[in-house]
Amino acid sequence: MALDLLQIGVSGLRSSQKQLNVTGHNINNVNTPGYSRQLAEQKANDAVWLGGDYYGSGSYIDNVSRAYDRFAARELTLTTTQLHASNEKASQLAIMDDYISRNASKTVSNMNDYYDAVKSLADHPNDMGSRKAVIENAGLVASTLNSAHGNLTDMHREVSDQVAASVSRVNTLGQELAALNARVLESQGGEKNDLYDQQQQLINELAEYTNVTVLSDKENPAQTIMIGQGYTLVSGVEPSKLTIVPGEPDPSQSQVALEHGNSLKPLKAESMGGKIGALIEYRTDVIEKGMNEVGRMAIGFASEINTMQRQGLDLEGQPGQNLFTDVNSLSAQQQRVITEVGSTADIKVAIDDVKQLKADEYRLETEADPVTGALTYSLFNSADELVTQAAGSGVAGQQIAVDGMVIEIGTPPVEGESVQIRPVRQGAGEISLNTNDPKAIAAQRVVTETETNTGNAHLEALPGATATGRYQVQLSAAGDSVSVTDANGNALTLTDSLGNSGTALGYPLQDGLFQLTDASGSATLRLTRSGQANDSFVVELGAKPAEGDNSNLMAMQSLQTEKSMNGGRSSIIDLFEGLSTDVGIQKQNAEKMTQINQMDFDAATERVQSLSGVNLDEEAANLMKFQQAYMASSRIMSVAKETFDTLMRAI
């Protein structure tokens, strides 16, 4: 009997000691990040048959478990991803908002200074000092736009570097999780609890960078870890690897890809979430759109001023030349198209109508009929919406006019090849002065557009004209042909760049060029595509300089407030202010979303802590309880010894 009692006391002593050890471990880790409170699960020993009945034989510690709820942990992981995504976006937008606000103010100020200089020159068209002021202020506008493009390009590169650094950290976390999986498989019993906590800590850190899904089995709660929308980062003890690959077809548009054997699988940015998803989204939706918008402003400004210049005469009576670099130079048209490496496609994009021009990007795809081989071109915008579709003509130089641009296809892309078109991305980076000569400013106007015109077409006379006189260029009532009459109303013979001739030519014209001929000579004119039915223009060829004529300057200064962009809804300056407002609204929305996500994160953290966190008051009570149990078990052993000694003395 004393021996049984001694064994019961020993089992109680051991159970209490283990309970004290677990309690002490909890107390020591009260401030350990990610630690989950542990519980010693105590059970009764199997009863023994003695003297015709069953008697209890003490207790034992069956298992040491951790206070853990996978649903609460999953909620914390999810809210961690959402919080860090919104934090990153709000942080980046705050930087952009500050920059755009300052830059927009500076650019608008420089543009207004330019128009003020034009107004001053209009008062004294022949004054060289006033002409120099116009040139200097034009140079400041170009310099400011160049700086804006350069700064946005630097931001784009910095964000790409941050994405690369985040990918590197994700790879490290994947390796650490795979190593922990291996340790979990080698560990026994309660040893795994601390490893599980370490796993959860790494998972929560991983969730800062991307969406995380954890698949578990009976032996390991983090057996398989997936990121994004089902991309496996860790499978058992084998980690995968993320890498940064050049974008296609634009290498600067770097992408995150998953190494899968010898192949690379690009991951969709919208599926990543977390810091990585927010950075990629910010790069695409804010920085690149900002570059496009600033580029559109630069192209709109330079194109309108250049057009005004070419419609007038300079101080020496010569046809006006571009004040800024030509927005439709061959290099500019080619740089607006990005093809895949090894592509044989030859495509150019010209800007025809800035009023219809959009701060967007496009994707041109080619499809061949399986029977006839006939090509079909489909143009999609950045929202993946079909903008236009055209059948291939089979003739080199086919033109597709849409959204204020003209896409000229020399050699078509092969079927399945994707061609990226960026009509405005480089606009602010390429703008510069074409001349520093004050005499080159065209103050006298020789081309007049009828006030009743409903289209956006511009007419200009190219240098080298020998014809002299006043001519009227008229679009037909259907808007599909163009004709020219002299001052006496006589219709002139016209010839286009394709060799077609007659008193009326089909409109729009190839390259917009046509030649007129009369008794006085000939002249080559350019009429852009955006004319409407019954639009008409008057041009004075061979005009002589008129002292004090400021008609072209008056038209030029009206551009300051003219709604020449966004389909006639915005001036060029309005675009700057609109960009600043748009970024400011995005920043406010991101800050509000951050506040909401912070509350969700705090609630999830509190839920996990209420279950898994260590409560010192509770542990102190447990410490006293198990200490008393330990002392009581010791007393049982003392009683057993005394009983045994008494029995031995009785013998």
Side-chain angles (χ1 to χ4, degrees), residues 195-225:
L195 297 179
Y196 291 159
D197 286 342
Q198 292 178 42
Q199 279 183 334
Q200 191 60 50
Q201 275 292 94
L202 292 177
I203 289 170
N204 286 343
E205 184 180 352
L206 180 63
E208 296 178 10
Y209 297 96
T210 181
N211 292 322
V212 178
T213 302
V214 179
L215 304 180
S216 60
D217 61 20
K218 294 181 179 179
E219 296 297 325
N220 190 350
Q223 177 67 18
T224 302
I225 299 172

Side-chain angles (χ1 to χ4, degrees), residues 22 101 151 196 218 229 250 252 257 270 288 323 328 361 494 552 594 627 639 641:
V22 171
S101 297
N151 289 332
Y196 291 159
K218 294 181 179 179
Q229 288 186 341
D250 180 13
S252 69
E270 58 268 20
E288 292 179 359
L323 181 61
N328 284 326
E361 301 180 7
L494 311 177
N552 206 37
T594 297
Q627 181 185 24
V639 170
K641 181 178 182 301

Side-chain angles (χ1 to χ4, degrees), residues 297-341:
M297 300 169 196
I299 288 175
F301 181 73
S303 178
E304 293 292 288
I305 297 298
N306 285 346
T307 297
M308 288 290 186
Q309 277 283 116
R310 296 194 301 268
Q311 291 178 334
L313 296 180
D314 63 19
L315 192 58
E316 296 179 340
Q318 297 299 315
Q321 300 298 305
N322 290 335
L323 181 61
F324 297 99
T325 48
D326 185 4
V327 299
N328 284 326
S329 66
L330 179 60
S331 61
Q333 292 187 53
Q334 291 172 335
Q335 289 178 7
R336 292 173 184 141
V337 180
I338 303 175
T339 57
E340 299 175 0
V341 176

Side-chain angles (χ1 to χ4, degrees), residues 367-423:
E367 184 178 358
D369 187 282
V371 178
T372 64
L375 299 180
T376 300
Y377 302 117
S378 300
L379 189 69
F380 300 86
N381 60 19
S382 58
D384 208 31
E385 300 168 338
L386 180 64
V387 177
T388 189
Q389 201 168 49
S393 65
V395 178
Q398 177 180 358
Q399 296 182 344
I400 302 173
V402 62
D403 287 351
M405 58 181 175
V406 179
I407 304 170
E408 182 177 318
I409 303 175
T411 303
V414 299
E415 184 177 15
E417 180 182 352
S418 180
V419 175
Q420 193 167 24
I421 295 176
R422 292 177 174 171

Side-chain angles (χ1 to χ4, degrees), residues 494-636:
L494 311 177
T495 305
D496 65 18
S497 58
L498 297 177
N500 301 313
S501 64
T503 55
L505 296 174
Y507 181 80
L509 300 150
Q510 180 78 8
D511 299 327
L513 300 176
F514 67 97
Q515 187 180 65
L516 63 83
T517 305
D518 68 0
S520 65
S522 63
T524 300
L525 306 181
R526 178 185 287 118
L527 179 62
T528 57
R529 285 176 166 265
S530 306
Q532 296 294 325
N534 295 317
D535 284 357
S536 65
F537 309 82
V538 175
V539 56
E540 291 279 352
L541 296 177
K544 302 299 181 183
E547 183 73 21
D549 191 332
N550 65 355
S551 55
N552 206 37
L553 295 174
M554 297 299 292
M556 195 177 295
Q557 72 183 38
S558 68
L559 294 175
Q560 184 175 16
T561 56
E562 182 179 338
K563 304 299 182 181
S564 58
M565 306 293 290
N566 274 342
R569 297 187 301 273
S570 306
S571 68
I572 294 171
I573 290 177
D574 289 340
L575 296 184
F576 281 90
E577 296 171 348
L579 177 61
S580 179
T581 300
D582 182 57
V583 172
I585 291 173
Q586 289 188 64
K587 173 194 169 188
Q588 291 179 356
N589 291 339
E591 290 173 345
K592 291 178 181 177
M593 186 58 66
T594 297
Q595 294 173 358
I596 294 172
N597 289 335
Q598 184 68 57
M599 290 189 291
D600 291 340
F601 175 79
D602 291 342
T605 302
E606 185 178 351
R607 192 172 295 111
V608 170
Q609 284 296 317
S610 66
L611 176 67
S612 302
V614 176
N615 186 313
L616 285 179
D617 292 337
E618 180 183 350
E619 297 302 328
N622 286 338
L623 198 64
M624 295 176 61
K625 179 175 68 174
F626 297 136
Q627 181 185 24
Q628 291 173 356
Y630 186 91
M631 294 173 62
S633 296
S634 299
R635 181 57 184 157
I636 291 174

